[in-house]
């Protein structure tokens, strides 16, 4: 199915001029359970009923086969759209190829094919979304993560904040949760980010250098 879609999209991409040109994706990682709201920026997005984002990978479909999933996108402007990341199978890491269509069958790139020169002004682009199975707030703590072999009490964890941190009792407030730094599990002060300097585990210390914050661009890791 991916092969047929790839050949069809390559033909349409070469002939069509209506393909949008996505240039960035945020966040660049999501949990395997899906549900993360993704923001895609670029040019050429159109406010159509068929505006869609496609996720493709050689594996990762919930049924165990290749991933080829299309989802509706929310139009923000001609340079920004939003969509929800689909669920993928747990197990081997999944790196999904992300492309966009305005609903006319022309995609920014064929599945699993990066269009040459795609990141430039005049080319289409194929972005990638990395899926993980990490515990909430513990980046790299999944089965294949860089902290998977580090003892739980020694793992570096994210410090999350909610903005705003108060709301009316009737509900309805929009709350944004951001990762603002790193901390270790310390019974005295679990939010003392200076203690990152005390970590001597080779994997953790090389992966989170002392004083480095917002390694994932401020997006909390793990889930659901």
């Amino acid at each position: 199915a991916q092969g047929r879609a790839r050949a069809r999209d390559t033909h349409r991409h070469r002939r069509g001029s209506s393909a949008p040109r996505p240039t960035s994706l945020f966040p660049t990682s999501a949990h395997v359970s899906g549900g993360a709201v993704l923001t895609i920026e670029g040019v050429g997005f159109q406010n159509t009923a068929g505006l869609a984002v496609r996720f493709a990978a050689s594996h990762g479909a919930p049924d165990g086969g290749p991933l080829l999933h299309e989802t509706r996108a929310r139009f923000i402007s001609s340079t920004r759209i939003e969509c929800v990341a689909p669920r993928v199978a747990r197990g081997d890491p999944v790196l999904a190829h992300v492309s966009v269509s305005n609903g006319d069958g022309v995609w920014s790139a064929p599945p699993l094919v990066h269009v040459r020169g795609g990141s430039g002004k005049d080319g289409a682009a194929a972005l990638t979304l990395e899926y993980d199975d990490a515990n909430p707030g513990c980046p790299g703590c999944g089965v294949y993560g860089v902290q998977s072999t580090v003892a739980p009490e020694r793992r570096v964890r994210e410090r999350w904040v909610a903005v705003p941190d108060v709301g009316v009792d009737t509900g309805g407030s929009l709350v944004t949760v951001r990762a603002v730094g790193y901390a270790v599990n310390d019974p005295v002060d679990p939010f003392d980010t200076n203690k990152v300097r005390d970590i001597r585990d080779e994997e953790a210390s090389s992966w989170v250098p002392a004083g480095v914050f917002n390694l994932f661009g401020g997006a909390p890791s793990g889930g659901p």
Side-chain angles (χ1 to χ4, degrees), residues 137-155:
C138 191
C141 293
V143 177
Y144 299 97
V146 293
Q147 292 201 96
S148 61
T149 60
V150 178
E153 67 273 11
R154 301 283 290 169
R155 289 176 178 175

Side-chain angles (χ1 to χ4, degrees), residues 4 18 68 95 103 113 138 160 162 190 220:
R4 291 192 297 271
S18 61
L68 189 63
L95 187 65
V113 175
C138 191
W160 294 358

Side-chain angles (χ1 to χ4, degrees), residues 13-113:
H13 173 73
R14 290 173 177 170
R15 296 190 58 189
S17 60
S18 61
R21 296 188 291 275
T23 57
S24 68
L25 171 72
F26 181 84
T28 56
S29 63
H31 195 260
V32 294
S33 60
V37 177
L38 308 177
T39 298
I40 299 175
E41 295 187 340
V43 294
F45 301 134
Q46 299 175 11
N47 190 11
T48 65
L51 181 65
V53 178
R54 181 171 60 192
F55 299 82
S58 59
H59 63 281
D63 63 2
L67 177 68
L68 189 63
H69 179 90
E70 297 178 15
T71 185
R72 291 280 300 275
R74 176 173 175 258
F75 180 84
I76 306 297
S77 69
S78 62
T79 59
R80 178 178 294 181
I81 61 175
E82 291 181 348
C83 71
V84 176
R87 178 174 63 91
V88 300
R90 295 176 182 272
D92 293 336
V94 175
L95 187 65
H97 172 291
V98 181
S99 53
V100 182
S101 173
N102 284 320
D104 55 1
V106 180
W107 292 85
S108 57
L112 303 181
V113 175

